[in-house]
Amino acid sequence: MGRKLLLENAHIENIRLYDVYRQNGGYAAVEKAFKMAPADIVEEVKKSGLRGRGGAGFPTGMKWSFLAKPEGVPRYLVCNADESEPGTFKDRYLMEFIPHLLIEGLIVSSFALGSNRTYIYIRGEYAWIVDILEQAIAEAKAAGFLGKNILNTGFDCEIYVQRGAGAYICGEETALLESLEGKRGNPRIKPPFPAVKGLYGCPTVVNNVETLAAIVPIMNIGGEEYAKIGVGRSTGTKLISACGNINKPGIYEIDMTISVEEFIYSDEYCGGIPNGKRLKACIPGGSSVPILPANLLLKTAKGEPRMMTYESLADGGFPTGSMMGSGGFIVMDEDQCVVRHTMSLARFYRHESCGQCSPCREGTGWMEKILTNIENGRGKMSDIDLLWDIQSKIEGNTICPLGDAAAWPVAAAIRHFRDEFEWHVTNPDEALQRNFGLAHYADPIEVAATP
Amino acid sequence: MAEEKKLLKVTIDNITVEVEPGTTILMAARKIGGDIVPPTMCYYSKLQNTGGYCRTCLVRVAAGSTADPRPMPKLVASCRTAVMDGMIVENITNPAVLEARKGVVEFLLLNHPLDCPVCDQAGECDLQDLSYEHGAEATRYEFKRRTFERIDIGPYIQLHMTRCILCYRCVHTANQVAGNREHGVLDRGDHAQIATYIQKSLESPMIGNVIDVCPVGALTDRTFRFKNRVWFTKPVDAHRDCPHCKGKVRLWMRGDDVLRVTARKDQFGEVEEWICNECRFEKKQVSDWVIEGPTRLDRHSVINAGHYEKIEKPQEFLTEVMHGHAARILLDIHAVSDVNMVDLNVINGPATNATFNGNPKAVGTNVTDVKEGKGRNVAGTDSTNPNTP
Ligand SMILES: Cc1cc2nc3c(=O)[nH]c(=O)nc-3n(C[C@H](O)[C@H](O)[C@H](O)COP(=O)(O)O)c2cc1C
Ligand code: SF4
Ligand code: SF4
Ligand code: FES
């Protein structure tokens, strides 16, 4: 049984309420942190090796230490609860079932960073969670953990919940800040980075819900202890939202020591593939990261077992690896069609592109149209190369990473499943009738010698 | 003692230049000038916070600075990247940059209607120049292009959203010059559009400048619509005492008629000084202006192409080449029509056959009529397009 830090108490009845949460050791981290100097908290987070859980995996302690601290200018902490990546639904679970964990993490982090006004920017569709969070904030305030002069330290802090309007792009940190300021949610052009000029032009830190919740166990057990969990630079525990063709979809807290194979097949986690089907492919970290065929998913190109860690999932780079991303683990069995799947992702990105920069605005729509043609038996062989060319001209040439996120799934699908695209072109009728592409990708198959 | 500002050295395509701190790569390249200047579609040096959107100005930074000579991992938008001392930049010397730029041009043209033959911007369109210089010959796009209804936003400006490349210049202009923004970008992605909120009109007295900053024919001057092709008109610099702006303008003349008034633009196609709506739309008489002299244009050569003084018909040589046949001039532009002797300059509005039926002033409803509620355009459709009723 892996170690649980975030969801340890999530099953306790009424843990959503302050009293229950408090009885189970809640808010001890705040009490501990407020006896420390803010800089020491940042140091502790650095020691923990915690990496951002929002997708990019940037070391949180380092991010915090970059925060500019000019005199007389407020600083802000913003919690990114926009969670809109297809396949990712871990933050929702955290906020819905143990909201005080996030609030506690936010109070500690606000203290560490000197943020007197802290915002939770939450995805518009999570309307009912806003009520849960606001109740938790009110309870924490009543208990004296928020408001003026918290625990007699002289530190004031308020937490506000702001609902978005349901745009994926508002999860990108600068678009989020624009939206929070009441403007159109267009990503900003960087530099300046939020650490220097963020919300209302002031230094700002944007962190994911899970990242900020993880501050609580780090405070409780200490950074060094936290860093002992996991492997290498993948420290601590990570929430994985598993979905697709598995027996037990849901949220799992893993301690980043298990293999992908164990995660999919063991009863403790996903419980294997239902209906006796075989594994065909998997997107291990949310829709933006490259899809991997079963053979490359379970073993790296070097033949080593692939582990559920940042490093191992990325092993091999784009040619044969993928990414941890935001932990949205999407499993596809042999009946799933990669072309159809890629088409629906392309449709998502086309719909969610903010339209500021031309490669992403025009390229995503173009890719969607070509993929729709291929999927519906109207494709040409040359379309596959064209798709490749389009994605390569989007990737790296855009303002924000959404362009890359739209390009990578298409690139990976063509890279690993090219013959499935070709099969759609050569057998259009069959592709329309039984839409599951080529089953021969299903495991066990050999890792190609030269990927 | 005032500290002397240290100049930064930056090398662009093997040419080194010294610039002030805070200068962008693009402005450094413009200081050098010539072919190495990256093309721009959205950046506008006269406005704040523009640029970064279109990605045509992408360059590669081969070395970040003397202190940190690592290359930048991605291509960067030169209009939004500040130079560092010792930076080495590759523009036209790097095939990857040219390839990426070609991609950007293709993306920009993807949903563009390519209706240059009927577009008033033709001849002074940044997108035309860009695709001519950097684009591919043919499109690989096989789908229906996105289209929008053409709308008149107010008495002076027509919005042809289908042509828009979403460069945001007009949005910044409305914010920073007109002072009162009544339009903006609605929706997102490839269905984003420039629009007013529920089709209001743009009424700020400086709003006409959006026409000048628009790199394509998406925002055009309704008072000039279909009057003439820009390369047949003659640019003349003029000024007047204007209570609202500096009054320094460029008149686009045909014979003695002022067909259009615009702001003066510099060699990069950017407005030198903003002008007000009154100068732009209301002062169409030569007598309104003090003429300074003909404009020297060096950028949009196509405009120069129309400016011959007299037509010399080649004689001897052509006859030989054409096997003894006499040469025929295909397009002979002059004020009085050779066919029916109508002076084209006195036609008020676009010519139709009625124009030539003995009464040169028979047709043409212009903006003044519309504003007064007269003419064919009371329904609010396009005022000067002869093809719409
Ligand atoms: C298009 C796009 C969408 C994103 N959506 C989210 C999101 O929903 N939630 C999130 O936490 N981070 C999201 N991110 C990542 C954020 O930009 C940012 O990296 C993150 O909030 C940083 O927090 P962390 O350091 O705690 O991971 C998104 C990024 C992009 C480019
Ligand atoms: S990459 Fe896409 S989403 Fe990001 S700024 Fe550009 S158009 Fe907007
Ligand atoms: S209307 Fe013209 S200026 Fe405005 S965004 Fe479109 S192309 Fe740019
Ligand atoms: S001019 Fe630089 S991105 Fe458009």
Side-chain angles (χ1 to χ4, degrees):
Chain A
M1 204 49 192
R3 186 152 174 194
K4 304 252 179 299
L5 294 176
L6 299 172
L7 302 184
E8 201 177 1
N9 293 334
H11 61 279
I12 297 173
E13 205 177 332
N14 284 334
I15 190 78
R16 201 183 272 176
L17 301 178
Y18 171 80
D19 293 336
V20 182
Y21 182 75
R22 181 81 171 137
Q23 275 154 26
N24 287 281
Y27 288 97
V30 177
E31 286 165 334
K32 189 169 170 191
F34 275 45
K35 295 196 188 92
M36 295 166 68
D40 293 340
I41 304 178
V42 175
E43 215 37 55
E44 208 61 35
V45 175
K46 266 192 185 165
K47 270 190 228 154
S48 75
L50 175 67
R51 293 169 68 173
R53 307 295 196 222
F58 192 81
T60 306
M62 192 136 57
K63 189 180 210 172
W64 286 13
S65 62
F66 288 158
L67 184 71
K69 298 190 174 69
E71 273 305 307
V73 178
R75 297 188 285 274
Y76 293 104
L77 170 66
V78 177
C79 170
N80 188 343
D82 194 58
E83 191 166 66
S84 322
E85 175 114 337
T88 308
F89 43 91
K90 63 190 176 66
D91 296 345
R92 161 182 168 175
Y93 186 88
L94 256 184
M95 293 186 288
E96 191 172 352
F97 291 96
I98 97 170
H100 279 286
L101 188 68
L102 174 63
I103 304 300
E104 185 177 3
L106 277 173
I107 298 171
V108 175
S109 311
S110 303
F111 180 67
L113 298 167
S115 164
N116 303 113
R117 261 176 294 158
T118 294
Y119 293 90
I120 303 174
Y121 183 92
I122 187 165
R123 166 179 189 181
E125 290 89 334
Y126 286 175
W128 76 101
I129 300 181
V130 177
D131 299 337
I132 297 175
L133 288 174
E134 279 180 343
Q135 192 196 339
I137 291 169
E139 284 174 342
K141 199 166 174 178
F145 287 112
L146 275 174
K148 292 235 172 290
N149 192 14
I150 303 167
L151 303 181
N152 289 321
T153 50
F155 178 71
D156 306 336
C157 183
E158 294 287 348
I159 299 178
Y160 301 99
V161 185
Q162 175 62 46
R163 261 179 85 179
Y168 172 59
I169 190 58
C170 289
E172 198 280 336
E173 52 186 8
T174 53
L176 184 154
L177 295 177
E178 285 283 298
S179 174
L180 195 53
E181 286 178 13
K183 303 185 190 137
R184 183 184 161 85
N186 278 359
R188 295 178 184 166
I189 293 154
K190 286 163 271 185
F193 289 93
V196 180
K197 253 182 132 184
L199 188 63
Y200 303 115
C202 302
T204 303
V205 166
V206 182
N207 271 133
N208 175 254
V209 170
E210 188 191 340
T211 316
L212 291 165
I215 301 298
V216 176
I218 290 174
M219 275 295 112
N220 285 335
I221 65 174
E224 259 161 52
E225 192 60 29
Y226 187 86
K228 283 185 195 149
I229 308 167
V231 192
R233 289 181 57 230
S234 302
T235 61
T237 59
K238 171 94 187 81
L239 297 184
I240 303 286
S241 54
C243 63
N245 303 112
I246 44 177
N247 276 317
K248 300 196 302 174
I251 312 284
Y252 296 99
E253 182 168 7
I254 60 162
D255 60 7
M256 298 206 262
T257 53
I258 58 169
S259 68
V260 176
E261 189 168 359
E262 183 184 346
F263 185 70
I264 297 180
Y265 291 103
S266 89
D267 279 338
E268 196 187 330
Y269 301 107
C270 303
I273 317 276
N275 308 323
K277 296 281 180 188
R278 291 175 304 162
L279 173 68
K280 175 176 180 177
C282 171
I283 302 177
S287 66
S288 306
V289 311
I291 187 172
L292 285 179
N295 56 343
L296 281 175
L297 175 74
L298 301 177
K299 283 208 171 71
T300 66
K302 292 178 216 143
E304 294 160 0
R306 205 181 279 279
M307 310 298 287
M308 292 290 283
T309 65
Y310 285 92
E311 289 78 24
S312 185
L313 283 173
D315 191 281
F318 281 176
T320 62
S322 183
M323 287 198 295
M324 172 69 92
S326 54
F329 198 84
I330 309 171
V331 181
M332 296 163 71
D333 72 13
E334 58 191 291
D335 287 355
Q336 306 308 315
C337 171
V338 170
V339 177
R340 184 179 189 80
H341 164 82
T342 312
M343 175 190 80
S344 75
L345 283 188
R347 187 170 57 214
F348 173 79
Y349 287 109
R350 181 256 179 105
H351 184 71
E352 298 293 343
S353 160
C354 83
Q356 266 190 122
C357 46
S358 26
C360 170
R361 177 182 65 233
E362 308 291 350
T364 50
W366 194 4
M367 290 198 301
E368 187 211 330
K369 290 188 181 119
I370 295 173
L371 281 162
T372 309
N373 267 1
I374 298 179
E375 165 64 16
N376 291 313
R378 296 191 300 265
K380 299 193 290 283
M381 274 303 175
S382 61
D383 283 348
I384 304 169
D385 290 329
L386 181 57
L387 268 179
W388 184 267
D389 193 53
I390 298 171
Q391 71 77 21
S392 74
K393 282 181 168 146
I394 299 175
E395 197 223 319
N397 293 341
T398 55
I399 296 175
C400 86
L402 190 139
D404 302 339
W408 292 340
V410 175
I414 297 177
R415 186 183 294 123
H416 299 303
F417 298 90
R418 191 180 176 104
D419 52 355
E420 192 155 324
F421 284 81
E422 288 171 355
W423 180 78
H424 273 73
V425 173
T426 47
N427 303 14
D429 296 334
E430 207 181 341
L432 275 177
Q433 279 159 17
R434 41 162 224 127
N435 205 333
F436 30 89
L438 300 174
H440 74 240
Y441 278 107
D443 65 332
I445 41 174
E446 293 299 308
V447 177
T450 43
Chain B
M1 205 174 73
E3 205 173 299
E4 205 168 294
K5 251 197 210 151
K6 194 179 171 294
L7 290 184
L8 307 178
K9 262 204 183 80
V10 52
T11 307
I12 304 173
D13 284 343
N14 305 322
I15 306 171
T16 304
V17 65
E18 291 198 330
V19 294
E20 305 247 315
T23 311
T24 57
I25 297 175
L26 175 74
M27 292 314 272
R30 284 189 178 181
K31 198 169 168 195
I32 297 173
D35 288 346
I36 62 126
V37 183
T40 51
M41 294 299 291
C42 65
Y43 174 75
Y44 214 74
S45 65
K46 310 294 170 357
L47 295 166
Q48 306 281 308
N49 296 327
T50 54
Y53 306 126
C54 72
R55 318 306 283 178
T56 52
C57 68
L58 290 175
V59 292
R60 193 178 116 85
V61 176
S65 65
T66 319
D68 181 4
R70 283 177 304 173
M72 291 194 184
K74 293 178 182 180
L75 303 184
V76 299
S78 60
C79 65
R80 290 296 283 253
T81 310
V83 300
M84 306 284 261
D85 198 32
M87 187 184 259
I88 298 175
V89 179
E90 297 166 352
N91 179 21
I92 54 175
T93 49
N94 188 325
V97 171
L98 297 180
E99 187 61 20
R101 189 166 295 151
K102 208 164 136 188
V104 171
V105 176
E106 184 169 29
F107 288 134
L108 283 174
L109 290 175
L110 213 57
N111 275 305
H112 193 80
L114 297 175
D115 58 347
C116 309
V118 296
C119 176
D120 269 343
Q121 191 87 359
E124 53 178 17
C125 173
D126 290 350
L127 190 56
Q128 266 187 334
D129 295 354
L130 182 78
S131 27
Y132 186 71
E133 280 158 35
H134 303 280
E137 313 78 57
T139 178
R140 297 179 290 172
Y141 190 64
E142 296 175 338
F143 302 93
K144 222 176 140 219
R145 285 160 202 262
R146 162 192 70 205
T147 53
F148 293 91
E149 291 281 305
R150 203 169 43 196
I151 46 173
D152 289 340
I153 38 178
Y156 300 124
I157 303 172
Q158 182 167 77
L159 170 65
H160 204 322
M161 183 53 217
T162 313
R163 294 176 186 148
C164 172
I165 59 160
L166 285 164
C167 69
Y168 281 72
R169 277 183 187 174
C170 59
V171 178
H172 289 296
T173 306
N175 270 336
Q176 296 167 29
V177 179
N180 177 17
R181 181 152 70 86
E182 298 155 313
H183 79 293
V185 178
L186 235 59
D187 298 332
R188 63 177 184 228
D190 60 359
H191 34 286
Q193 56 169 316
I194 290 286
T196 53
Y197 187 58
I198 326 190
Q199 292 210 5
K200 271 201 311 201
S201 61
L202 304 187
E203 271 156 12
S204 150
M206 295 292 279
I207 197 66
N209 289 302
V210 297
I211 297 168
D212 281 341
V213 300
C214 185
V216 294
L219 293 168
T220 47
D221 183 343
R222 286 185 61 196
T223 67
F224 178 62
R225 208 167 145 67
F226 294 138
K227 283 263 170 69
N228 222 309
R229 311 279 1 190
V230 295
W231 57 87
F232 295 144
T233 61
K234 193 170 176 174
V236 172
D237 283 357
H239 65 264
R240 75 182 190 103
D241 235 353
C242 174
H244 314 296
C245 67
K246 297 245 175 71
K248 287 188 187 159
V249 302
R250 187 155 293 162
L251 306 178
W252 299 79
M253 318 265 302
R254 182 75 194 265
D256 284 338
D257 282 4
V258 178
L259 294 186
R260 178 170 76 137
V261 183
T262 68
R264 297 184 194 173
K265 291 189 180 179
D266 63 15
Q267 57 165 321
F268 301 109
E270 292 184 4
V271 165
E272 284 169 1
E273 268 169 307
W274 309 108
I275 64 169
C276 68
N277 285 6
E278 190 179 308
C279 286
R280 186 187 298 272
F281 301 117
E282 310 278 358
K283 302 290 170 192
K284 295 281 177 92
Q285 301 299 324
V286 183
S287 57
D288 293 330
W289 298 99
V290 182
I291 307 281
E292 294 170 16
T295 307
R296 285 257 148 263
L297 289 173
D298 48 18
R299 188 164 181 260
H300 296 296
S301 50
V302 59
I303 297 179
N304 289 336
H307 297 150
Y308 29 68
E309 248 83 64
K310 61 178 193 252
I311 296 163
E312 275 185 40
K313 294 182 184 172
Q315 307 250 314
E316 323 77 21
F317 179 66
L318 258 181
T319 327
E320 261 170 51
V321 176
M322 298 184 66
H323 308 291
H325 298 294
R328 276 215 327 251
I329 298 288
L330 285 181
L331 199 62
D332 182 7
I333 306 298
H334 27 207
V336 178
S337 158
D338 266 352
V339 187
N340 35 35
M341 303 322 237
V342 173
D343 184 348
L344 296 171
N345 281 322
V346 302
I347 299 172
N348 185 13
T352 67
N353 62 351
T355 313
F356 300 101
N357 289 341
N359 180 2
K361 300 202 177 185
V363 288
T365 14
N366 61 24
V367 165
T368 323
D369 299 332
V370 179
K371 278 204 298 185
E372 288 164 0
K374 287 192 300 209
R376 279 176 294 172
N377 205 6
V378 277
T381 51
D382 182 16
S383 63
T384 44
N385 183 351
N387 303 321
T388 54

